[in-house]
Amino acid sequence: MVTLVTSQIPKASPDISHLMAFEDYCKDQSSWTIKRGPVLYNPRSFSLRFYSAIQTLIKPVLKRVKIKGAVLSLGLPYYYYLTAKTFPYYGTNCDLRVLWTYDVWEPDYERVAELVTKSNLDLLLLSSYQATEHFKKLNLSTCKVHWVPETIDVHAYQHKEWKDRSINLLSFGRSWQQYHEVIVDGCEEHHINYQYQERSATHDVAVHGLKKKLQFPTTADFTAGLADSQICICFPRCVTHPALAGEVSTLTIRYLQAMASKCVILGAAPKEITQLFDYNPVVEIDWEKPVEQIRHILDYPEEYMAIVEKNYQMVHQHFHHQNAIDQINELVKSNLT
């Protein structure tokens, strides 16, 4: 038995919106018991510490409450978020305390290890293969670590025929400035419709977690924009923001979103791709002729339709939210027995 504690976080940023959409999918499509966590009101930092403090104070009382099976939280590998959003269920006497999470990067390893200890986790499920291998080598007491890659609700994405798409080249959210500077003038010169998130030293969605001035303000805008794009630029975070990611090179949902929208993925594949695919789903950058490469894809799209279709089938068969639910169920079952 799994009890999922869902988030109630108002005015969500895109990453929080994706998390809550995953929770909604689990609520509708899994056999899990669903419990709603408290509303994390603004100012957010105060509410996080308030609920965390309350849980600490009444911990002796909560320990008398027995929840059979696993209590599960999804996402947000931060101690105060975890204890606040799961209040009071994480503090009870459950059989397994489980966290599945993403965004565990190399510079965060020590902090996440402390979270595991302070939260008394029994099962840590990570979306990154490299992070999983690192945490398996640590002495985390009775906590077991497994790899459960990121997934999406593939039916939430749409696609158009190639000829009906108006955006030739799309870079959304986190971008790599080095590649952008190499192609932006050439795209303008050759009348390539190149759409990208504006970025500066004080305005970078990967660093500042911005909610305003977003390229696609709503989820509907974003899925429509992807469906209207022919080529989607995707690089691992270790390439675009190495100070934030370290050496962790993982398959983030931007790749899956582009695959589900039948875009040609142009960029670089993450290192763990060989663990997940028997082929490379990414058209690797030609640094000698980057603009000419883009023009070639646009002029001869038929050469790329086979990999686009293969990617589309792959994300449907192996990276749907249901796959994650099934993996979590199996891991909970094996650890309970």
Side-chain angles (χ1 to χ4, degrees):
M1 177 186 290
V2 175
T3 299
L4 172 65
V5 186
T6 60
S7 309
Q8 294 199 75
I9 306 175
K11 298 182 179 178
S13 57
D15 57 333
I16 299 296
S17 295
H18 290 310
L19 168 62
M20 296 175 74
F22 184 21
E23 292 177 341
D24 287 341
Y25 183 91
C26 294
K27 179 175 63 177
D28 296 334
Q29 302 298 328
S30 75
S31 60
W32 299 344
T33 299
I34 305 299
K35 299 291 185 181
R36 299 175 69 183
V39 176
L40 301 183
Y41 53 85
N42 289 318
R44 191 81 51 81
S45 59
F46 180 81
S47 68
L48 293 175
R49 292 180 179 274
F50 171 77
Y51 285 116
S52 296
I54 293 297
Q55 181 144 289
T56 300
L57 288 173
I58 66 173
K59 192 173 183 179
V61 177
L62 291 176
K63 283 296 183 182
R64 300 173 191 168
V65 179
K66 176 64 178 179
I67 296 181
K68 292 183 178 180
V71 173
L72 169 66
S73 177
L74 301 174
L76 302 179
Y78 309 99
Y79 177 73
Y80 287 113
Y81 261 109
L82 181 59
T83 54
K85 75 186 278 287
T86 60
F87 177 82
Y89 305 101
Y90 239 52
T92 63
N93 180 24
C94 57
D95 294 313
L96 278 180
R97 200 166 282 104
V98 185
L99 171 64
W100 172 85
T101 191
Y102 47 81
D103 278 359
V104 176
W105 309 102
E106 187 177 8
D108 300 325
Y109 282 171
E110 184 175 345
R111 175 182 58 76
V112 175
E114 291 177 359
L115 175 149
V116 171
T117 302
K118 291 174 67 175
S119 303
N120 296 315
L121 290 179
D122 301 298
L123 191 55
L124 177 64
L125 310 177
L126 300 174
S127 66
S128 163
Y129 176 79
Q130 287 171 283
T132 301
E133 291 301 295
H134 170 82
F135 279 90
K136 279 183 176 180
K137 296 174 184 176
L138 299 183
N139 181 17
L140 294 176
S141 184
T142 59
C143 182
K144 295 183 179 179
V145 184
H146 293 276
W147 182 31
V148 179
E150 288 203 60
T151 55
I152 61 172
D153 178 4
V154 294
H155 301 299
Y157 296 86
Q158 51 195 301
H159 53 84
K160 294 181 180 180
E161 293 296 324
W162 180 273
K163 62 181 177 60
D164 297 328
R165 301 182 182 218
S166 64
I167 300 173
N168 301 132
L169 183 64
L170 175 66
S171 173
F172 66 88
R174 170 176 52 80
S175 62
W176 191 18
Q177 196 69 10
Q178 180 178 334
Y179 182 65
H180 169 78
E181 292 174 355
V182 167
I183 65 171
V184 63
D185 291 339
C187 286
E188 183 175 357
E189 178 185 351
H190 294 285
H191 307 290
I192 296 171
N193 184 4
Y194 171 33
Q195 300 291 322
Y196 52 89
Q197 174 74 48
E198 293 289 350
R199 173 181 166 183
S200 67
T202 58
H203 187 99
D204 184 346
V205 294
V207 177
H208 305 108
L210 299 168
K211 298 180 183 179
K212 297 180 180 179
K213 297 182 181 179
L214 287 173
Q215 182 181 10
F216 300 110
T218 69
T219 299
D221 293 332
F222 171 64
T223 54
L226 265 180
D228 199 32
S229 300
Q230 295 172 321
I231 305 170
C232 185
I233 300 172
C234 294
F235 289 102
R237 199 182 200 197
C238 63
V239 171
T240 64
H241 293 79
L244 298 179
E247 293 297 319
V248 172
S249 179
T250 187
L251 184 74
T252 51
I253 63 171
R254 65 173 49 234
Y255 290 89
L256 305 179
Q257 292 164 333
M259 292 165 69
S261 303
K262 290 196 172 184
C263 303
V264 172
I265 303 176
L266 179 63
K271 292 178 182 177
E272 70 183 29
I273 208 76
T274 56
Q275 306 287 332
L276 296 166
F277 294 75
D278 59 1
Y279 70 98
N280 189 350
V282 178
V283 177
E284 300 285 338
I285 296 295
D286 181 349
W287 285 101
E288 293 184 1
K289 299 179 179 180
V291 177
E292 287 83 351
Q293 181 184 34
I294 295 169
R295 293 182 64 193
H296 185 272
I297 297 172
L298 296 175
D299 290 340
Y300 302 98
E302 64 277 1
E303 295 182 13
Y304 302 88
M305 290 303 101
I307 194 170
V308 166
E309 188 59 35
K310 193 172 184 178
N311 287 346
Y312 182 74
Q313 296 301 326
M314 190 72 174
V315 73
H316 272 256
Q317 294 169 11
H318 299 287
F319 295 97
H320 194 287
H321 280 332
Q322 191 60 51
N323 296 87
I325 291 173
D326 293 343
Q327 279 188 270
I328 292 170
N329 277 334
E330 286 299 315
L331 289 167
V332 167
K333 181 180 178 181
S334 63
N335 280 275
L336 284 174
T337 56

mmCIF file of all heavy atoms in Angstrom, residues 297-321:
data_model
loop_
_atom_site.group_PDB
_atom_site.id
_atom_site.type_symbol
_atom_site.label_atom_id
_atom_site.label_comp_id
_atom_site.label_asym_id
_atom_site.label_seq_id
_atom_site.Cartn_x
_atom_site.Cartn_y
_atom_site.Cartn_z
ATOM 1 N N ILE A 297 18.349 20.630 -41.834
ATOM 2 C CA ILE A 297 17.193 19.962 -41.217
ATOM 3 C C ILE A 297 15.898 20.554 -41.747
ATOM 4 O O ILE A 297 14.944 19.827 -42.057
ATOM 5 C CB ILE A 297 17.260 20.079 -39.679
ATOM 6 C CG1 ILE A 297 18.501 19.364 -39.131
ATOM 7 C CG2 ILE A 297 15.987 19.491 -39.044
ATOM 8 C CD1 ILE A 297 18.743 19.601 -37.651
ATOM 9 N N LEU A 298 15.851 21.869 -41.868
ATOM 10 C CA LEU A 298 14.633 22.537 -42.338
ATOM 11 C C LEU A 298 14.376 22.270 -43.822
ATOM 12 O O LEU A 298 13.216 22.177 -44.246
ATOM 13 C CB LEU A 298 14.741 24.048 -42.084
ATOM 14 C CG LEU A 298 14.818 24.478 -40.613
ATOM 15 C CD1 LEU A 298 15.055 25.977 -40.511
ATOM 16 C CD2 LEU A 298 13.551 24.090 -39.858
ATOM 17 N N ASP A 299 15.447 22.131 -44.605
ATOM 18 C CA ASP A 299 15.290 21.898 -46.049
ATOM 19 C C ASP A 299 15.005 20.435 -46.383
ATOM 20 O O ASP A 299 14.348 20.145 -47.391
ATOM 21 C CB ASP A 299 16.554 22.346 -46.788
ATOM 22 C CG ASP A 299 16.717 23.864 -46.791
ATOM 23 O OD1 ASP A 299 15.703 24.561 -46.570
ATOM 24 O OD2 ASP A 299 17.852 24.336 -47.008
ATOM 25 N N TYR A 300 15.515 19.520 -45.528
ATOM 26 C CA TYR A 300 15.361 18.094 -45.815
ATOM 27 C C TYR A 300 14.794 17.360 -44.581
ATOM 28 O O TYR A 300 15.435 16.447 -44.032
ATOM 29 C CB TYR A 300 16.706 17.485 -46.219
ATOM 30 C CG TYR A 300 17.325 18.165 -47.421
ATOM 31 C CD1 TYR A 300 18.299 19.144 -47.265
ATOM 32 C CD2 TYR A 300 16.911 17.835 -48.718
ATOM 33 C CE1 TYR A 300 18.869 19.780 -48.367
ATOM 34 C CE2 TYR A 300 17.472 18.462 -49.825
ATOM 35 C CZ TYR A 300 18.447 19.432 -49.647
ATOM 36 O OH TYR A 300 18.997 20.062 -50.740
ATOM 37 N N PRO A 301 13.612 17.741 -44.127
ATOM 38 C CA PRO A 301 13.054 17.142 -42.907
ATOM 39 C C PRO A 301 12.811 15.646 -43.029
ATOM 40 O O PRO A 301 12.814 14.932 -42.018
ATOM 41 C CB PRO A 301 11.741 17.906 -42.711
ATOM 42 C CG PRO A 301 11.378 18.403 -44.078
ATOM 43 C CD PRO A 301 12.679 18.717 -44.731
ATOM 44 N N GLU A 302 12.610 15.158 -44.260
ATOM 45 C CA GLU A 302 12.328 13.738 -44.453
ATOM 46 C C GLU A 302 13.477 12.856 -43.955
ATOM 47 O O GLU A 302 13.274 11.690 -43.586
ATOM 48 C CB GLU A 302 12.034 13.438 -45.923
ATOM 49 C CG GLU A 302 13.177 13.678 -46.891
ATOM 50 C CD GLU A 302 13.322 15.137 -47.331
ATOM 51 O OE1 GLU A 302 12.536 15.996 -46.856
ATOM 52 O OE2 GLU A 302 14.197 15.407 -48.172
ATOM 53 N N GLU A 303 14.696 13.407 -43.906
ATOM 54 C CA GLU A 303 15.838 12.635 -43.420
ATOM 55 C C GLU A 303 15.771 12.392 -41.912
ATOM 56 O O GLU A 303 16.487 11.529 -41.385
ATOM 57 C CB GLU A 303 17.147 13.355 -43.757
ATOM 58 C CG GLU A 303 17.434 13.465 -45.248
ATOM 59 C CD GLU A 303 18.762 14.147 -45.525
ATOM 60 O OE1 GLU A 303 19.562 14.305 -44.566
ATOM 61 O OE2 GLU A 303 19.011 14.525 -46.692
ATOM 62 N N TYR A 304 14.932 13.153 -41.219
ATOM 63 C CA TYR A 304 14.890 13.097 -39.756
ATOM 64 C C TYR A 304 13.571 12.539 -39.213
ATOM 65 O O TYR A 304 13.428 12.383 -38.005
ATOM 66 C CB TYR A 304 15.135 14.503 -39.174
ATOM 67 C CG TYR A 304 16.456 15.067 -39.611
ATOM 68 C CD1 TYR A 304 16.573 15.794 -40.804
ATOM 69 C CD2 TYR A 304 17.611 14.863 -38.863
ATOM 70 C CE1 TYR A 304 17.797 16.295 -41.228
ATOM 71 C CE2 TYR A 304 18.830 15.356 -39.278
ATOM 72 C CZ TYR A 304 18.920 16.070 -40.461
ATOM 73 O OH TYR A 304 20.137 16.561 -40.871
ATOM 74 N N MET A 305 12.632 12.257 -40.083
ATOM 75 C CA MET A 305 11.320 11.809 -39.623
ATOM 76 C C MET A 305 11.360 10.430 -38.970
ATOM 77 O O MET A 305 10.557 10.147 -38.074
ATOM 78 C CB MET A 305 10.324 11.818 -40.778
ATOM 79 C CG MET A 305 9.927 13.213 -41.258
ATOM 80 S SD MET A 305 9.225 14.261 -39.927
ATOM 81 C CE MET A 305 10.647 15.311 -39.521
ATOM 82 N N ALA A 306 12.305 9.582 -39.384
ATOM 83 C CA ALA A 306 12.391 8.242 -38.782
ATOM 84 C C ALA A 306 12.760 8.338 -37.304
ATOM 85 O O ALA A 306 12.155 7.664 -36.456
ATOM 86 C CB ALA A 306 13.414 7.391 -39.531
ATOM 87 N N ILE A 307 13.744 9.198 -36.970
ATOM 88 C CA ILE A 307 14.145 9.316 -35.566
ATOM 89 C C ILE A 307 13.078 10.061 -34.759
ATOM 90 O O ILE A 307 12.858 9.775 -33.579
ATOM 91 C CB ILE A 307 15.527 10.003 -35.436
ATOM 92 C CG1 ILE A 307 16.067 9.798 -34.021
ATOM 93 C CG2 ILE A 307 15.454 11.495 -35.764
ATOM 94 C CD1 ILE A 307 17.510 10.220 -33.852
ATOM 95 N N VAL A 308 12.386 11.005 -35.387
ATOM 96 C CA VAL A 308 11.290 11.707 -34.710
ATOM 97 C C VAL A 308 10.207 10.707 -34.307
ATOM 98 O O VAL A 308 9.708 10.721 -33.169
ATOM 99 C CB VAL A 308 10.695 12.817 -35.613
ATOM 100 C CG1 VAL A 308 9.356 13.299 -35.069
ATOM 101 C CG2 VAL A 308 11.669 13.988 -35.716
ATOM 102 N N GLU A 309 9.849 9.825 -35.234
ATOM 103 C CA GLU A 309 8.803 8.829 -34.944
ATOM 104 C C GLU A 309 9.297 7.809 -33.917
ATOM 105 O O GLU A 309 8.525 7.395 -33.037
ATOM 106 C CB GLU A 309 8.386 8.114 -36.238
ATOM 107 C CG GLU A 309 7.188 7.206 -36.083
ATOM 108 C CD GLU A 309 5.945 7.932 -35.608
ATOM 109 O OE1 GLU A 309 5.743 9.107 -35.990
ATOM 110 O OE2 GLU A 309 5.155 7.323 -34.847
ATOM 111 N N LYS A 310 10.555 7.416 -34.020
ATOM 112 C CA LYS A 310 11.115 6.467 -33.058
ATOM 113 C C LYS A 310 11.125 7.069 -31.657
ATOM 114 O O LYS A 310 10.789 6.393 -30.663
ATOM 115 C CB LYS A 310 12.537 6.079 -33.476
ATOM 116 C CG LYS A 310 13.108 4.881 -32.729
ATOM 117 C CD LYS A 310 14.430 4.447 -33.337
ATOM 118 C CE LYS A 310 14.953 3.179 -32.648
ATOM 119 N NZ LYS A 310 16.225 2.694 -33.253
ATOM 120 N N ASN A 311 11.486 8.351 -31.553
ATOM 121 C CA ASN A 311 11.464 9.042 -30.263
ATOM 122 C C ASN A 311 10.049 9.108 -29.704
ATOM 123 O O ASN A 311 9.820 8.928 -28.494
ATOM 124 C CB ASN A 311 12.014 10.459 -30.409
ATOM 125 C CG ASN A 311 13.521 10.492 -30.611
ATOM 126 O OD1 ASN A 311 14.202 9.484 -30.387
ATOM 127 N ND2 ASN A 311 14.040 11.630 -31.026
ATOM 128 N N TYR A 312 9.094 9.375 -30.578
ATOM 129 C CA TYR A 312 7.688 9.488 -30.167
ATOM 130 C C TYR A 312 7.197 8.159 -29.590
ATOM 131 O O TYR A 312 6.540 8.129 -28.543
ATOM 132 C CB TYR A 312 6.843 9.902 -31.368
ATOM 133 C CG TYR A 312 5.376 10.099 -31.076
ATOM 134 C CD1 TYR A 312 4.932 11.216 -30.382
ATOM 135 C CD2 TYR A 312 4.432 9.166 -31.512
ATOM 136 C CE1 TYR A 312 3.579 11.397 -30.122
ATOM 137 C CE2 TYR A 312 3.086 9.345 -31.263
ATOM 138 C CZ TYR A 312 2.663 10.468 -30.560
ATOM 139 O OH TYR A 312 1.316 10.642 -30.309
ATOM 140 N N GLN A 313 7.526 7.070 -30.252
ATOM 141 C CA GLN A 313 7.117 5.749 -29.765
ATOM 142 C C GLN A 313 7.846 5.412 -28.458
ATOM 143 O O GLN A 313 7.268 4.799 -27.549
ATOM 144 C CB GLN A 313 7.403 4.680 -30.824
ATOM 145 C CG GLN A 313 6.605 4.841 -32.106
ATOM 146 C CD GLN A 313 5.100 4.797 -31.869
ATOM 147 O OE1 GLN A 313 4.610 4.079 -30.984
ATOM 148 N NE2 GLN A 313 4.361 5.563 -32.655
ATOM 149 N N MET A 314 9.095 5.813 -28.362
ATOM 150 C CA MET A 314 9.896 5.516 -27.166
ATOM 151 C C MET A 314 9.326 6.205 -25.935
ATOM 152 O O MET A 314 9.199 5.593 -24.868
ATOM 153 C CB MET A 314 11.338 5.973 -27.403
ATOM 154 C CG MET A 314 12.321 5.511 -26.353
ATOM 155 S SD MET A 314 12.645 3.743 -26.497
ATOM 156 C CE MET A 314 13.944 3.548 -25.268
ATOM 157 N N VAL A 315 8.964 7.463 -26.069
ATOM 158 C CA VAL A 315 8.449 8.183 -24.905
ATOM 159 C C VAL A 315 7.091 7.631 -24.494
ATOM 160 O O VAL A 315 6.760 7.568 -23.303
ATOM 161 C CB VAL A 315 8.400 9.712 -25.176
ATOM 162 C CG1 VAL A 315 7.281 10.091 -26.120
ATOM 163 C CG2 VAL A 315 8.269 10.491 -23.874
ATOM 164 N N HIS A 316 6.290 7.183 -25.450
ATOM 165 C CA HIS A 316 4.992 6.592 -25.124
ATOM 166 C C HIS A 316 5.144 5.264 -24.395
ATOM 167 O O HIS A 316 4.384 4.964 -23.472
ATOM 168 C CB HIS A 316 4.172 6.387 -26.407
ATOM 169 C CG HIS A 316 3.363 7.586 -26.789
ATOM 170 N ND1 HIS A 316 2.018 7.662 -26.588
ATOM 171 C CD2 HIS A 316 3.731 8.766 -27.348
ATOM 172 C CE1 HIS A 316 1.567 8.832 -27.004
ATOM 173 N NE2 HIS A 316 2.588 9.517 -27.477
ATOM 174 N N GLN A 317 6.126 4.474 -24.822
ATOM 175 C CA GLN A 317 6.255 3.123 -24.284
ATOM 176 C C GLN A 317 7.046 3.048 -22.982
ATOM 177 O O GLN A 317 6.785 2.176 -22.151
ATOM 178 C CB GLN A 317 6.922 2.227 -25.331
ATOM 179 C CG GLN A 317 6.084 2.012 -26.580
ATOM 180 C CD GLN A 317 6.861 1.350 -27.698
ATOM 181 O OE1 GLN A 317 7.969 0.853 -27.498
ATOM 182 N NE2 GLN A 317 6.287 1.355 -28.900
ATOM 183 N N HIS A 318 8.000 3.982 -22.779
ATOM 184 C CA HIS A 318 8.921 3.832 -21.649
ATOM 185 C C HIS A 318 9.002 5.035 -20.710
ATOM 186 O O HIS A 318 9.575 4.894 -19.617
ATOM 187 C CB HIS A 318 10.327 3.530 -22.176
ATOM 188 C CG HIS A 318 10.406 2.267 -22.969
ATOM 189 N ND1 HIS A 318 10.347 1.018 -22.395
ATOM 190 C CD2 HIS A 318 10.513 2.062 -24.317
ATOM 191 C CE1 HIS A 318 10.432 0.087 -23.331
ATOM 192 N NE2 HIS A 318 10.538 0.690 -24.506
ATOM 193 N N PHE A 319 8.469 6.179 -21.104
ATOM 194 C CA PHE A 319 8.643 7.368 -20.263
ATOM 195 C C PHE A 319 7.318 8.051 -19.936
ATOM 196 O O PHE A 319 7.267 9.261 -19.725
ATOM 197 C CB PHE A 319 9.609 8.351 -20.944
ATOM 198 C CG PHE A 319 10.998 7.801 -21.085
ATOM 199 C CD1 PHE A 319 11.413 7.207 -22.266
ATOM 200 C CD2 PHE A 319 11.882 7.842 -20.023
ATOM 201 C CE1 PHE A 319 12.681 6.680 -22.395
ATOM 202 C CE2 PHE A 319 13.159 7.319 -20.142
ATOM 203 C CZ PHE A 319 13.564 6.734 -21.328
ATOM 204 N N HIS A 320 6.267 7.263 -19.908
ATOM 205 C CA HIS A 320 4.963 7.760 -19.480
ATOM 206 C C HIS A 320 4.900 7.685 -17.954
ATOM 207 O O HIS A 320 5.536 6.829 -17.339
ATOM 208 C CB HIS A 320 3.858 6.904 -20.110
ATOM 209 C CG HIS A 320 2.504 7.510 -20.006
ATOM 210 N ND1 HIS A 320 1.808 7.560 -18.816
ATOM 211 C CD2 HIS A 320 1.708 8.107 -20.927
ATOM 212 C CE1 HIS A 320 0.642 8.144 -19.022
ATOM 213 N NE2 HIS A 320 0.560 8.495 -20.289
ATOM 214 N N HIS A 321 4.122 8.574 -17.334
ATOM 215 C CA HIS A 321 3.985 8.558 -15.876
ATOM 216 C C HIS A 321 3.629 7.180 -15.338
ATOM 217 O O HIS A 321 4.032 6.815 -14.226
ATOM 218 C CB HIS A 321 2.912 9.555 -15.440
ATOM 219 C CG HIS A 321 3.370 10.981 -15.399
ATOM 220 N ND1 HIS A 321 4.681 11.332 -15.178
ATOM 221 C CD2 HIS A 321 2.671 12.152 -15.523
ATOM 222 C CE1 HIS A 321 4.788 12.658 -15.186
ATOM 223 N NE2 HIS A 321 3.596 13.172 -15.393
#
